[in-house]
Amino acid sequence: MELVVTRNFGRPESWTLASYREAGGYEALERVLKEMTPEDVSDLIKDSNLTGRGGAFFPTGLKWEFVRKDPKTPRYVVVNADESEPGTYVNRLSLELDPHMTIEGMIIAAYASNAERGYFYIRGEYGLSHERVKAALREAYEAGYLGQGICGRDDFNLEVEFRRGAGAYIVGEETALFNSLEGKRGNPRFKPPFPTNFGVWGLPTAINNVETLAAAPAIVMNGAEWFKDLGIGDAAGTKMYCLSGNVVNPVCVELPLGVTAREVIMDHGGGVPEGRTFKGFKPGGASSAPLTPAEIDASLEPKSMAELGTIMGTGGVVVFDDTACMVDAAYRDALFFEDESCGFCIPCREGTPNLVQICERIMHGQGTMDDLDLLEELGASMMASFCGLGHFAHQPVRGAASRFRDEFEAHIRDHYCAAGTCFTANGNGRAG
Amino acid sequence: MAIHHTELETPPGREPLPESERPKLETLREQLQPLKDLPGSSIEALYAAQELFSYVPPEAITLIAEELRIPESQVFGVVTFYTMFSLEPQPPYVLRVCRDLSCHLAGAPKLIGALEKELGVPRGHTSPDGRFTVEVVSCLGLCDKQPALLVNLDQHGPVMPDDVPDLLGDLRNGAG
Ligand SMILES: Cc1cc2nc3c(=O)[nH]c(=O)nc-3n(C[C@H](O)[C@H](O)[C@H](O)COP(=O)(O)O)c2cc1C
Ligand code: FES
């Protein structure tokens, strides 16, 4: 299996320009600037079916074309490295181990979008990433890949500013990220207008996830068909899947987009620890509803996940064995969203603590069967939230309550927790 | 008509900067100069303040607002939005322990308990020696190191309850 975005991870000092160049780095940029027009580049990326790895899977080439076609200037490119979805660490690995690949992708995106300014925004907690990306940006400036007259083309300039977040999941939502870049509180903005027309500073902005941008140079070198063929079925390219939870190997693996959950969890994760029973998994971070062992042969790609009523999300696969209580698991996600709701809109601000309380009632033997209906109602009203956080926050709880119904009912009716974490003197309690 | 003023108490965490710390405001002013050319850089400005004082004192908020020409209310709004900024003095070691699902499954509650026990204070409080505080936070993106924690910005994991005495011991001896 051919690797795209992780292919340099094993190289010595893989994060330096010298190492990246030795591995053929920045050849794609040079080819783009010598042989291709901005239209050629966005067409190539469109043909490759590369879609946004941040979780929304929007066609990347189309995004760049939209930005280029907006007459307002200056246009911007933004790297979204706010990665904060629980169970997800793929961008961190790219930033630490191969920052230049993302930077090269960013420059290619700027060329295709006709953008002349950029921001590289990394969440505040990623200290090593800050160091590596700052150093890599400096190297790229010195080598003439950034700044004025890139690679001798006096009509192509790109000034990139490095920025840090300071602890806020919501800032990963693109419009919240723009507010953060503008020095404001990271509340999301209303869409439309969309970032491609009204992004940072109200100007056309191509904002992309680290993994999306990192795929661009390889597509330039190897072609759209090559990339498309890497995926399974209709899905194009590869995806970094990362494992955590009750799994033997909590590792990140780059695999064809659309592999089965079985391949990821069993072949690469080594399954659940010996002596335990596999109980289920979350396909892509906290926002995704959990699935059961019966669904382990489903493809981890957006379409099949949507058919199962969950989402592909970030590719952060969280595994459960029989020591995990699914009510408790839902509760942990609810706590996360309660904490991370920015409090700007009522359905999300009020809905997330409600989710927490319902889970707490059930875990403490005070739940009723009505609580399960209440969850559905609450979920429906949270769909009126202002942004995606509120739209997704109830999915893991409702998903767990419907797919692991028996476990919820056992808690409610019999005050019985099969995993043995609730109703005990030293139960888990509220950790947060 | 007369306006009635009420003497307001200083809200917690809004104490004025001690006299001995005031010279650092000049250092901050100098550090803010390059940020004037970078619109929107209030987060970077606040990091500079926090690095100097260990927290963001009210005087720094006023200074940042003045120098960057943005409303003080906006700077205050930014400080309170992001969890990594503090309005109260912070000890040299802030331990941020992840409480989210993967780390939870890997034993985060026991890790948090061990840290609280070893430091003798609950989360959110500074240890009696004034050097540590434990914060329980959202996913740190270190789920491959579950259960994970950050010591300031240094990554640690997996950290088991049994590892806690050594981890803290190293930090106490300045090896962290
Ligand atoms: C609550 C919320 C959080 C998000 N967090 C991130 C994030 O941390 N990183 C990211 O790339 N996209 C995140 N997104 C998606 C972005 O809004 C946006 O779709 C993405 O950055 C676009 O880049 P892509 O097309 O390359 O995926 C988030 C969305 C929502 C609703
Ligand atoms: S869940 Fe703990 S670091 Fe991600």
Side-chain angles (χ1 to χ4, degrees):
Chain A
M1 149 68 210
E2 212 163 345
L3 298 177
V4 182
V5 288
T6 62
R7 67 177 184 275
N8 298 331
F9 280 13
R11 296 176 58 85
E13 307 226 301
S14 57
W15 51 91
T16 59
L17 177 60
S19 165
Y20 186 58
R21 268 212 198 115
E22 245 173 60
Y26 289 105
E27 279 172 24
L29 176 64
E30 279 169 26
R31 178 181 292 183
V32 160
L33 295 183
K34 270 202 202 93
E35 300 169 11
M36 298 171 82
T37 64
E39 294 78 22
D40 292 341
V41 180
S42 58
D43 286 347
L44 172 78
I45 300 296
K46 273 199 283 187
D47 290 344
S48 78
N49 285 349
L50 173 66
T51 51
R53 276 14 182 188
F57 292 89
F58 186 85
T60 305
L62 196 61
K63 184 181 278 190
W64 298 353
E65 183 183 302
F66 286 160
V67 172
R68 188 181 65 238
K69 287 190 170 160
D70 192 305
K72 291 192 293 297
T73 56
R75 300 180 194 84
Y76 280 85
V77 278
V78 175
V79 182
N80 185 346
D82 192 62
E83 179 171 80
S84 311
E85 184 75 29
T88 312
Y89 50 91
V90 298
N91 290 171
R92 190 194 96 234
L93 297 177
S94 293
L95 300 170
E96 289 179 356
L97 296 174
D98 199 358
H100 277 289
M101 193 183 274
T102 304
I103 293 171
E104 185 177 10
M106 178 190 199
I107 306 168
I108 292 171
Y111 182 75
S113 316
N114 211 347
E116 55 190 284
R117 291 194 196 165
Y119 289 106
F120 203 121
Y121 187 103
I122 305 182
R123 70 176 293 188
E125 292 87 343
Y126 278 3
L128 182 57
S129 301
H130 301 159
E131 286 169 32
R132 296 260 163 95
V133 169
K134 261 199 269 191
L137 286 170
R138 215 172 308 130
E139 285 179 320
Y141 265 105
E142 277 161 16
Y145 298 129
L146 284 173
Q148 302 292 306
I150 293 171
C151 297
R153 284 267 308 249
D154 39 352
D155 60 339
F156 180 45
N157 314 315
L158 179 63
E159 298 292 346
V160 172
E161 209 184 301
F162 171 84
R163 287 293 188 85
R164 281 179 290 178
Y169 165 71
I170 186 57
V171 166
E173 196 283 331
E174 51 199 9
T175 62
L177 198 146
F178 300 147
N179 278 341
S180 184
L181 285 172
E182 293 177 17
K184 301 177 187 147
R185 287 171 73 86
N187 297 117
R189 305 172 179 171
F190 194 77
K191 290 190 278 193
F194 291 98
T196 47
N197 304 114
F198 194 93
V200 65
W201 306 111
L203 291 158
T205 303
I207 179 167
N208 281 113
N209 178 262
V210 170
E211 196 182 344
T212 316
L213 291 170
I219 299 173
V220 168
M221 297 309 289
N222 301 298
E225 285 308 313
W226 168 83
F227 187 75
K228 243 195 269 186
D229 290 345
L230 290 176
I232 292 174
D234 286 345
T238 60
K239 174 80 191 84
M240 289 166 77
Y241 295 95
C242 62
L243 284 147
S244 60
N246 301 134
V247 65
V248 173
N249 310 311
V251 292
C252 176
V253 275
E254 181 179 2
L255 295 169
L257 181 59
V259 290
T260 63
R262 182 188 298 279
E263 189 172 340
V264 176
I265 296 169
M266 298 302 170
D267 300 354
H268 297 276
V272 298
E274 209 173 322
R276 310 238 193 116
T277 326
F278 175 55
K279 185 182 205 172
F281 63 102
K282 283 167 78 80
S287 305
S288 62
L291 298 175
T292 63
E295 288 150 324
I296 195 173
D297 287 310
S299 298
L300 291 173
E301 53 82 30
K303 235 190 265 159
S304 4
M305 288 298 114
E307 278 163 18
L308 292 175
T310 185
I311 53 166
M312 158 78 202
T314 55
V317 177
V318 184
V319 181
F320 302 108
D321 66 23
D322 54 343
T323 63
C325 165
M326 296 311 287
V327 186
D328 185 36
Y331 173 57
R332 299 297 141 185
D333 287 334
L335 279 178
F336 168 77
F337 288 114
E338 180 197 32
D339 241 31
E340 298 297 339
S341 169
C342 77
F344 178 75
C345 78
I346 296 167
C348 178
R349 185 181 64 218
E350 299 300 320
T352 48
N354 257 299
L355 291 169
V356 167
Q357 286 157 15
I358 294 174
C359 293
E360 277 178 348
R361 280 207 292 276
I362 298 176
M363 290 165 75
H364 294 142
Q366 293 155 356
T368 63
M369 294 303 285
D370 288 344
D371 278 328
L372 299 180
D373 299 330
L374 186 60
L375 263 184
E376 290 304 305
E377 246 177 77
L378 182 59
S381 55
M382 287 181 73
M383 290 313 288
S385 301
F386 193 73
C387 85
L389 192 150
H391 300 157
F392 288 115
H394 52 95
Q395 310 279 7
V397 185
R398 287 172 54 206
S402 78
R403 278 220 169 46
F404 298 87
R405 186 90 182 175
D406 291 352
E407 231 179 296
F408 277 68
E409 290 189 1
H411 278 74
I412 294 170
R413 290 215 175 105
D414 311 323
H415 299 184
Y416 173 69
C417 172
T421 59
C422 308
F423 314 115
T424 56
N426 57 353
N428 283 327
R430 180 170 177 136
Chain B
M1 219 182 87
I3 298 169
H4 296 280
H5 288 277
T6 320
E7 251 336 287
L8 290 176
E9 274 178 47
T10 314
R14 307 281 63 212
E15 315 283 321
L17 202 56
E19 204 52 47
S20 59
E21 291 281 283
R22 297 193 66 90
K24 288 186 186 164
L25 286 169
E26 267 323 298
T27 317
L28 178 60
R29 191 191 303 277
E30 279 160 34
Q31 290 179 357
L32 293 178
Q33 297 316 305
L35 297 183
K36 285 180 166 176
D37 302 328
L38 304 172
S41 47
S42 54
I43 289 184
E44 286 303 318
L46 288 164
Y47 271 126
Q50 187 153 290
E51 225 146 89
L52 281 169
F53 299 102
S54 88
Y55 72 114
V56 184
E59 290 82 353
I61 293 182
T62 310
L63 184 65
I64 289 169
E66 265 171 32
E67 294 290 322
L68 302 187
R69 298 182 172 280
I70 47 180
E72 215 171 303
S73 58
Q74 186 181 325
V75 183
F76 189 73
V78 172
V79 179
T80 53
F81 189 86
Y82 298 94
T83 56
M84 291 176 75
F85 295 130
S86 172
L87 290 169
E88 285 169 64
Q90 294 278 291
Y93 295 113
V94 179
L95 278 61
R96 294 190 168 83
V97 193
C98 169
R99 61 91 220 270
D100 276 327
L101 187 56
S102 311
C103 289
H104 179 77
L105 293 172
K110 289 205 179 87
L111 170 60
I112 295 165
L115 284 164
E116 288 175 330
K117 188 163 161 245
E118 187 75 16
L119 293 174
V121 284
R123 65 196 70 168
H125 293 260
T126 299
S127 58
D129 63 2
R131 299 180 66 186
F132 300 94
T133 188
V134 172
E135 288 186 4
V136 174
V137 300
S138 295
C139 174
L140 293 164
L142 301 173
C143 333
D144 51 342
K145 306 179 198 289
Q146 59 184 18
L149 62 82
L150 285 181
V151 177
N152 299 333
L153 286 184
D154 291 336
Q155 308 169 359
H156 293 262
V159 186
M160 292 304 162
D162 289 349
D163 303 332
V164 165
D166 281 350
L167 172 75
L168 294 179
D170 287 350
L171 295 172
R172 284 194 181 108
N173 300 329

